[in-house]
């Protein structure tokens, strides 16, 4: 039996959870970011609000009407870096640190948004041939991806040895994951290859290129450390 309040405000509650987790996470890095606790609180709220804005705007750019409340998670993948970069430049903080520390906040928020899809019944997988009405668990597998990538990245970020590599790592791994999952997901055109495949391939390509460039720039420093 569902509680009406929870049913009507499920997304808001999940986004509230994302804001709380973001706040707790940012508190761990007050020293590295030279940030007061109340600034972390404000940033946690703004991070979620801007993230929602990104996914809604991107959905509109994809051709969805504003009235249907559609969201495209690729909006956060492509637009959140702009906020991180501007924030780092305006506050004279290390862009690498800002990207590395805020990336898990975005990943967790997107995971909450995908959990909401489970309850809302949207973004379903296609029916499995011969096993109808069973469907491919695309949403569940994407949530598993978020959990696994967080489990891999969080210890590395806490160690302080990521050097700006976190967001590109997330970006190209998410891109290839979504590219595969989209073949098994219901689309508005019902075609096997659709628009989300293009966004996924762009995310994969950008992430891989950025990761390779960061590794290339760090190679001389790593060599000096070994010597």
């Amino acid at each position: 039996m569902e509680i009406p309040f929870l049913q009507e405000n499920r997304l808001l509650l999940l986004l509230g959870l994302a804001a709380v987790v973001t706040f707790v996470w940012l508190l761990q890095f007050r020293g590295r970011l030279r940030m007061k606790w109340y600034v972390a609180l404000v940033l946690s709220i703004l991070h979620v609000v801007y993230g929602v804005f990104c996914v809604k705007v991107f959905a509109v750019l994809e051709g969805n009407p504003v009235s249907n409340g559609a969201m495209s998670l690729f909006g956060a993948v492509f637009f959140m870096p702009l906020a991180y970069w501007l924030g780092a430049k305006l506050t004279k903080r290390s862009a690498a640190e800002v990207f590395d520390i805020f990336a898990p906040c975005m990943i967790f928020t997107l995971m909450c948004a995908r959990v909401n899809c489970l309850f809302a019944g949207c973004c379903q997988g296609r029916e499995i041939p011969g096993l109808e009405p069973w469907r491919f668990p695309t949403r569940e597998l994407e949530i598993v991806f978020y959990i696994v990538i967080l489990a891999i990245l969080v210890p590395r970020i806490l160690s302080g040895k990521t050097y700006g590599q976190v967001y590109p790592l997330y970006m190209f791994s998410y891109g290839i994951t979504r590219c595969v999952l989209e073949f098994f997901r219901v689309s508005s055109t019902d075609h096997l290859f659709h628009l989300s495949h293009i966004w996924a391939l762009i995310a994969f390509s950008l992430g891989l290129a950025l990761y390779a460039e960061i590794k290339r720039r760090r190679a001389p420093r790593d060599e000096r450390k070994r010597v």
Side-chain angles (χ1 to χ4, degrees), residues 121-180:
C122 60
C123 306
Q124 292 182 326
R126 297 173 180 269
E127 290 186 344
I128 302 174
L131 293 176
E132 298 86 349
W134 294 94
R135 295 178 178 271
F136 290 105
T138 52
R139 298 168 300 185
E140 293 82 354
L141 288 174
E142 188 171 335
I143 292 170
V144 169
F145 163 79
Y146 291 129
I147 294 172
V148 171
I149 198 71
L150 285 172
I152 293 171
L153 295 178
V154 165
R156 298 180 63 178
I157 297 167
L158 291 172
S159 72
K161 298 178 180 179
T162 47
Y163 315 113
Q165 298 171 1
V166 171
Y167 202 90
L169 271 171
Y170 158 71
M171 202 174 191
F172 80 70
S173 59
Y174 180 70
I176 195 64
T177 300
R178 276 294 298 268
C179 188
V180 173

Side-chain angles (χ1 to χ4, degrees), residues 1-14:
M1 178 180 178
E2 290 200 36
I3 301 173
F5 175 81
L6 295 179
Q7 187 175 3
E8 295 169 6
N9 299 279
R10 185 170 45 240
L11 180 58
L12 285 176
L13 291 171
L14 285 167

Side-chain angles (χ1 to χ4, degrees), residues 2 7 17 23 29 38 42-43 55 69 82 85 90-91 101 116 122 126-127 132 139 153 155 170 207 209 220:
E2 290 200 36
Q7 187 175 3
L17 173 63
F23 175 57
F29 301 95
Y38 50 84
V42 173
L43 287 177
V55 297
L82 176 61
W85 183 81
L90 292 174
T91 61
I101 292 170
N116 182 66
C122 60
R126 297 173 180 269
E127 290 186 344
E132 298 86 349
R139 298 168 300 185
L153 295 178
Y170 158 71

Side-chain angles (χ1 to χ4, degrees), residues 3 7 13 19 22 39 66 80-81 85 108 110 112-113 117 160 185 187-188 191 196 199 209 215 220:
I3 301 173
Q7 187 175 3
L13 291 171
T22 296
V39 176
V66 178
M80 291 300 288
W85 183 81
F108 186 84
L110 293 184
C112 289
C117 293
R185 179 171 285 161
S187 69
S188 57
H191 294 156
S196 291
W199 303 137
K215 291 287 287 184

